């Protein structure tokens, strides 16, 4: 059985906005990337946090809307719930990946990362479609003690497919392509999606991770212990998250309009347009924040993250850009 080149498999419409690597492969939403290198074998936990916050597919980086969340599973039989260390995907994206990803394609493929080197794909790959992602929580990795990763819990086993060879799912893929619909994306969410899926984010880390934190992910339990989140810990993201949680619509919009950070400028309108209908994990994090933030704690943030030039060094002396280091300003001494 030979691996099918990616350019012989039709690209779903929702993946056509993705950047491609030097070989022409679409750069899926969950992996490490830069203009120089894309590491398809490395899942980025900071990016997973953004996927969970905004309810986006781990392949195309677009919203699920009312579509099922698909996940590879290793158990047999009905699954009322399932937990995975990988973020869910759309059905059509899963079917595309099954034909293009070498590991999903062949039962003889092996993983090559440091911690799972040599692991062979199961003879039969099973994908299950769930009705909802019910929770996203941080857990210590079994493969890397002391390292925390995000786990996605899904509920409502609604559909599934399995295969030994991709030939067995080509008809299903053709049907999924025929049924594919454009996904609803507002102007504010469109900005976040564009920033999230680009290859070059100016060497500042993942620009949408900060937006996810101030939308409410900053209130997730042990979120700053998650791999790659150290750069965000101890800063002022929870302060801005408090504004997004308890500030008035006017205060939220004033903050976003005054921000020199494009992602921060978009997340305020997104929070307001999604009020009352947040993704379930984000809703749970914001509910936790309600008990952490005093009722009066919604002043309009001030400070270097808002008042200095876009790329100026933060006055705290960290060497990072002010809008990334102290987005809510430096606390008074």
């Amino acid at each position: 059985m030979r691996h099918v080149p990616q350019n012989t498999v039709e690209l779903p419409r929702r993946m056509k906005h993705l950047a491609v690597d030097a070989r022409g492969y679409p750069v899926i939403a969950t992996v490490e990337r830069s203009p120089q290198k894309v590491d398809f074998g490395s899942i980025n936990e900071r990016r997973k946090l953004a996927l969970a916050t905004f309810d986006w597919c781990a392949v195309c980086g677009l919203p699920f809307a009312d579509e099922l969340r698909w996940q590879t599973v290793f158990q047999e039989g009905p699954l009322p719930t399932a937990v995975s260390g990988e973020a869910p995907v759309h059905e059509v994206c899963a079917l595309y990946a099954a034909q293009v990803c070498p590991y999903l394609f062949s039962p003889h493929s092996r993983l090559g990362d440091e911690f799972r080197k040599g692991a062979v794909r199961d003879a039969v790959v099973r994908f299950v479609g769930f009705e909802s992602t019910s929770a996203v929580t941080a857990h210590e990795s079994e493969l890397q003690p002391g390292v925390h990763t995000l786990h996605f819990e899904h509920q409502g086993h609604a559909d599934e497919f399995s295969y030994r060879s991709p030939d067995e799912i080509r008809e299903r893929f053709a049907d999924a392509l025929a049924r594919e619909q454009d996904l609803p994306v507002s102007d504010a969410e469109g900005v976040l999606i564009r920033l999230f899926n680009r290859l070059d984010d100016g060497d500042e880390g993942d620009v949408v991770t900060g937006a996810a934190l101030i939308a409410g992910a900053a209130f997730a339990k042990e979120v700053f212990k998650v791999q790659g989140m150290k750069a965000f810990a101890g800063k002022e993201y929870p302060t801005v998250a408090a504004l997004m949680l308890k500030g008035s619509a006017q205060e939220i919009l004033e903050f976003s309009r005054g921000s020199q950070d494009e992602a921060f400028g978009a997340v305020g309108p997104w929070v307001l347009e999604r009020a009352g209908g947040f993704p379930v994990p984000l809703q749970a994090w914001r509910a936790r924040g309600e008990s952490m933030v005093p009722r009066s704690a919604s002043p309009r943030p001030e400070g270097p993250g808002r008042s200095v030039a876009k790329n100026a060094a933060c006055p705290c002396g960290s060497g990072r850009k002010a809008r990334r280091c102290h987005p809510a300003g430096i606390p008074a001494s």
Side-chain angles (χ1 to χ4, degrees):
M1 180 171 59
R2 296 178 60 193
H3 180 225
V4 178
Q6 59 84 20
N7 57 7
T8 67
V9 179
E10 184 175 350
L11 193 68
R13 284 203 314 274
R14 62 192 58 183
M15 291 181 63
K16 290 183 178 180
H17 69 105
L18 297 177
V20 296
D21 73 353
R23 302 167 300 168
Y25 282 86
V27 180
I28 64 174
T30 194
V31 300
E32 295 272 4
R33 80 273 308 283
S34 75
Q36 292 74 39
K37 180 183 179 182
V38 178
D39 186 356
F40 284 95
S42 177
I43 296 176
N44 184 302
E45 294 297 319
R46 299 184 304 276
R47 299 183 68 81
K48 281 169 58 179
L49 182 68
L51 294 172
T53 301
F54 300 111
D55 197 29
W56 293 338
C57 167
V59 169
C60 71
L62 291 177
F64 281 100
D66 57 357
E67 296 188 16
L68 298 179
R69 281 90 171 139
W70 289 80
Q71 188 69 66
T72 52
V73 298
F74 302 99
Q75 306 97 314
E76 298 181 355
L79 293 170
T81 63
V83 177
S84 174
E86 296 187 1
V89 301
H90 296 119
E91 179 185 14
V92 71
C93 295
L95 290 162
Y96 174 85
Q99 298 173 83
V100 173
C101 171
Y103 182 72
L104 291 175
F105 176 86
S106 171
H108 306 296
S109 296
R110 283 170 161 65
L111 289 170
D113 64 74
E114 178 183 357
F115 301 98
R116 299 174 294 175
K117 191 177 179 82
V120 180
R121 196 206 83 178
D122 286 353
V124 177
V125 178
R126 185 188 185 196
F127 274 90
V128 172
F130 294 93
E131 293 176 351
S132 67
T133 301
S134 54
V136 178
T137 50
H139 294 272
E140 186 171 3
S141 171
E142 294 180 359
L143 296 173
Q144 300 169 267
V147 174
H148 285 67
T149 59
L150 294 173
H151 288 212
F152 291 69
E153 180 179 319
H154 307 294
Q155 291 186 343
H157 181 167
D159 197 1
E160 68 175 273
F161 67 84
S162 59
Y163 64 93
R164 293 177 180 272
S165 161
D167 292 336
E168 300 170 14
I169 58 172
R170 300 212 196 283
E171 185 175 341
R172 185 173 184 129
F173 179 54
D175 179 63
L177 287 172
R179 291 184 287 105
E180 187 179 10
Q181 298 181 354
D182 292 332
L183 297 165
V185 175
S186 69
D187 290 344
E189 188 167 21
V191 171
L192 294 169
I193 288 169
R194 173 176 57 79
L195 293 172
F196 184 70
N197 288 293
R198 67 183 184 176
L199 288 183
D200 182 7
D201 61 10
D203 297 322
E204 296 182 37
D206 304 302
V207 297
V208 180
T209 302
L213 287 170
I214 69 172
F219 301 123
K221 187 176 181 181
E222 298 187 319
V223 67
F224 294 107
K225 290 185 178 181
V226 171
Q227 186 178 37
M229 292 300 297
K230 184 177 180 180
F232 297 91
K235 307 304 181 186
E236 299 304 304
Y237 291 93
T239 301
V240 187
L243 172 73
M244 295 290 166
L245 180 67
K246 296 192 174 181
S248 67
Q250 180 179 350
E251 289 172 327
I252 291 172
L253 288 175
E254 284 180 355
F255 170 79
S256 288
R257 289 167 182 163
S259 176
Q260 297 183 40
D261 181 286
E262 194 174 8
F264 280 20
V267 75
W270 182 88
V271 165
L272 293 175
E273 66 193 23
R274 291 299 297 268
F278 290 112
V280 174
L282 178 59
Q283 187 174 331
W285 299 335
R286 287 171 64 90
R288 185 170 184 264
E290 289 283 352
S291 64
M292 298 169 63
V293 179
R295 178 63 56 183
S296 60
S298 61
R300 185 170 183 263
E302 299 291 349
R306 295 176 47 80
S307 61
V308 304
K310 181 177 181 180
N311 294 317
C314 186
C316 77
S318 67
R320 300 182 73 213
K321 296 176 183 179
R323 63 194 176 96
R324 286 283 157 211
C325 189
H326 280 89
I330 299 175
S333 58

